[in-house]
Structure formats: structure tokens, C-alpha cells
Amino acid sequence: MTDTITRTYTGETERQNDENETEREDESTARTDEREHCPECGGRLVSDSEHAETVCDNCGLVVEEDEIDRGPEWRAFDSAEKDKKSRVGAPTTNMMHDQGLSTNIGWQDKDAYGKALSSRQRQKMQRLRTWNERFRTRDSKERNLKQALGEIDRMASALGLPENVRETASVIYRRALEEDLLPGRSIEGVATASLYAAARQAGTPRSLDEISSVSRVDKMELTRTYRYIVRQLSLEVKPADPEHYLPRFVSDLDLSDETERMARELLESARKQGVHSGKSPVGLAAAAVYAAALLTNEKVTQNEVSGVASISEVTIRNRYKELLEASETAAV
């Protein structure tokens, strides 16, 4: 009896699915007919690419105008040239271990019409996802790269770094992996060092304390790995400029543009007097922001600046006095 009910229910379900599929095909056919036939006389529609219009071949009715030319802007005279110039598909990116060239199966268990899949289809899709993931990371090198790039993306998101910094960090890590610089070092350490170097190269530096706060390695390992990567890859990393930290500190403290302008003037005076030599750029930037806020009568405490810049209040007190003295000397 139970088997009879189950077969009856299954037969009704399949019949209902067939009816729904037939209705969708009828709707699709109707839409196709509307696009291919004139709404006035039923004549055949043709596309006029020269005038970017769709017109009726019989009565001349303009059905659509100002159409977008979806063809390529280049010309090709053979198949090889066509394949070379074609740019179909999503752009490649270094932030993915396969550069985004492989297939990615979504996690939603729904079909093309947004309807939920049956339990059997869900199991099938789960098996496909599993095998797809295995094929995407076929060897240890690809698994290493996937883990490292995921770590770089996680830290960059936590630090609010832009996409160009993530791309640069991914390229640096790929170079380190290709030149066999990872043996004896952790994946997290090299990934963190790559991100730190990329941020400095892009002019959006983060301090070692900020980087280590979101990393899974300590500050000592980070500095040691960073020096090794820069030396082995011959990276051109300029000394961090204190002015690069100013916009972020001023924004986090909700200070005015006048304060930022005053802080830049203080740093410029310190540079002329040689005060910045041998000093931490983060400390100089934080002290310049604090001193500028005092000069512009904005309320901000050393504790607030210390929290934003991740340095001690003692450093701020020592540096801001030196900045004020350098400014007074430059004025004289």
C-alpha cells in the first residue's frame, strides 16, 4: 500500500514538473516570437547595425533604437587572430590561486529559475563541488597558494587596504613561491610580509603593530621574514613617509582639514631641520596630528591619538615637542 502511494505521489510530482516546464517553454517561445515579428503587421524584424535600430522588413516600423553594439571593437581576419584578440569572460586576477580561470560552483541549491533542488539533485551538486575543489587544487603548490592568498585577503580586509595593494601582495607572494623562498618559513609569515611590503609600495602603509595585530605571526617573525623577502626579491621599498599616515589618523579622530594641513606643515619643517632622521614615521605622524590639533584649538587627547596610531603616549609627547621646536626654529 505504501509503495502504491509513493509511486502515485512520484507520478503526480513528475507530471506537475512536466507541466511547469511546458509552460516555461511556451512563455519563452512567445517572447521569442515577439522579438522576431513586427507588433503592427507581423512582418520579419531585421537589425540595422549602421543606425543602431531594429526595423520591420515589411512596413518599416522602428521597433527599437539607440541599441548597444555588443560586438567587438576590433577586427580579425582568421581564427588565430580572433582567439588572440578576444577578451570574453571575467578578468584574470592574481588574488586567486588559479587567477580566476577555473569554474566555481555556487553554494545555492537552486536551479536557473530560482526553485529549490530536490534532495537527489542537492547530493549530486555537493559531489560536484567536492570534485571541483579537488581539481582546482591538484598539488601542494596550489594548496599553498590558495591558503596564502586567502590569508592576504583576510588581513587586507581587516586593515581596510584597497584592491591594488592585495594584487601587489599576491604577486610578491607568487614570486617568493616560484623562487623557493618558503622552506623554513610559515605560509602566514611570508603572506604577512608580502602584504606589509605591498602596502608600503602603494603609499598606504600600515605600521608593524597594526599588521601584527591582524596576523597569525608575531612581530619579530614578521620583521625577520619581511627583510628576507625584500632582500631576496630585490624589492624597491622606500622608507615610509610620515605624511602617508596623516589622512587616516585625521579621519579616524574626526579632525578638520585645517588640522591636517597644519600637521603637514609641521612635518615639512621637521624634515628641513633633520628631526625626522632615525625616528619612527608612525610616531612622527601621530605627534604632528596631536600638535596640529592643539594649534587649531581642536579637542583631542594623547590617549585618543595613541589608540588610533597604536603607539605609546610617551612617544607622542617626545615627538610633538621636537616638532614644535623645529617649527619655531624654521620660523626664525
Side-chain angles (χ1 to χ4, degrees):
M1 181 65 178
T2 304
D3 294 340
T4 303
I5 295 175
T6 302
R7 286 195 299 270
T8 304
Y9 176 75
T10 304
E12 291 178 355
T13 304
E14 293 178 353
R15 185 169 58 255
Q16 183 66 33
N17 292 336
D18 292 340
E19 292 176 357
N20 294 337
E21 186 66 27
T22 302
E23 291 177 359
R24 287 194 290 264
E25 290 178 356
D26 292 341
E27 293 176 359
S28 177
T29 303
R31 288 194 296 268
T32 303
D33 291 341
E34 290 178 359
R35 291 193 300 266
E36 293 180 354
H37 296 86
C38 176
E40 292 292 334
C41 66
R44 186 172 62 91
L45 296 180
V46 295
S47 178
D48 185 359
S49 58
E50 183 178 354
H51 299 90
E53 296 175 344
T54 298
V55 299
C56 175
D57 193 25
N58 185 30
C59 65
L61 175 68
V62 178
V63 179
E64 294 183 10
E65 59 181 350
D66 297 331
E67 294 180 346
I68 298 175
D69 184 6
R70 303 185 184 278
E73 80 284 2
W74 42 263
R75 293 189 302 169
F77 300 98
D78 53 39
S79 59
E81 187 177 4
K82 180 179 179 181
D83 293 338
K84 183 178 180 181
K85 291 185 176 181
S86 178
R87 298 189 300 274
V88 177
T92 58
T93 173
N94 287 307
M95 293 188 293
M96 298 181 68
H97 71 283
D98 53 9
Q99 296 186 336
L101 296 176
S102 63
T103 301
N104 185 27
I105 302 177
W107 56 268
Q108 298 93 342
D109 290 324
K110 295 181 180 180
D111 61 10
Y113 300 98
K115 296 185 177 181
L117 300 177
S118 64
S119 59
R120 187 173 181 180
Q121 289 174 322
R122 286 198 299 270
Q123 292 176 1
K124 181 179 179 181
M125 293 304 298
Q126 186 58 40
R127 288 197 299 271
L128 288 174
R129 291 191 192 99
T130 301
W131 280 105
N132 181 63
E133 194 66 22
R134 291 174 181 173
F135 279 116
R136 290 181 66 185
T137 53
R138 286 171 292 182
D139 53 29
S140 59
K141 185 176 180 180
E142 290 188 356
R143 288 193 293 271
N144 180 313
L145 195 57
K146 182 180 179 181
Q147 180 182 347
L149 297 183
E151 190 72 7
I152 289 174
D153 190 60
R154 180 190 65 81
M155 292 186 294
S157 298
L159 294 170
L161 292 172
E163 186 173 345
N164 66 312
V165 176
R166 306 181 192 197
E167 285 274 359
T168 305
S170 302
V171 172
I172 293 174
Y173 188 90
R174 286 176 184 273
R175 288 185 57 193
L177 185 62
E178 291 172 358
E179 298 189 20
D180 202 24
L181 302 182
L182 267 70
R185 292 167 182 81
S186 65
I187 295 176
E188 291 82 1
V190 179
T192 307
S194 301
L195 184 63
Y196 179 63
R200 291 186 58 175
Q201 283 185 333
T204 55
R206 295 295 187 268
S207 65
L208 287 171
D209 292 325
E210 290 177 301
I211 294 286
S212 60
S213 65
V214 300
S215 175
R216 294 190 173 96
V217 297
D218 56 28
K219 186 176 178 181
M220 184 175 296
E221 182 181 351
L222 169 59
T223 54
R224 184 169 60 248
T225 307
Y226 167 72
R227 294 192 185 99
Y228 176 75
I229 292 296
V230 170
R231 182 174 63 254
Q232 294 297 322
L233 297 181
S234 301
L235 299 178
E236 295 183 1
V237 182
K238 298 180 180 179
D241 191 341
E243 292 189 9
H244 290 161
Y245 295 92
L246 291 182
R248 183 160 56 90
F249 291 170
V250 170
S251 176
D252 292 343
L253 293 169
D254 197 20
L255 299 175
S256 63
D257 294 339
E258 183 182 0
T259 300
E260 182 178 349
R261 184 168 57 253
M262 179 63 69
R264 292 183 184 278
E265 293 177 359
L266 290 173
L267 289 176
E268 183 62 28
S269 300
R271 183 178 289 104
K272 293 179 180 178
Q273 298 297 321
V275 175
H276 70 290
S277 179
K279 305 293 192 308
S280 168
V282 181
L284 287 172
V289 170
Y290 177 70
L294 295 180
L295 295 175
T296 56
N297 297 321
E298 293 203 54
K299 296 181 180 180
V300 65
T301 64
Q302 293 181 4
N303 185 40
E304 292 174 338
V305 178
S306 173
V308 168
S310 299
I311 60 172
S312 66
E313 297 181 26
V314 177
T315 302
I316 295 177
R317 284 195 292 270
N318 293 337
R319 296 291 91 80
Y320 107 89
K321 291 178 182 178
E322 296 173 355
L323 290 176
L324 292 179
E325 292 176 357
S327 177
E328 292 174 358
T329 303
V332 173

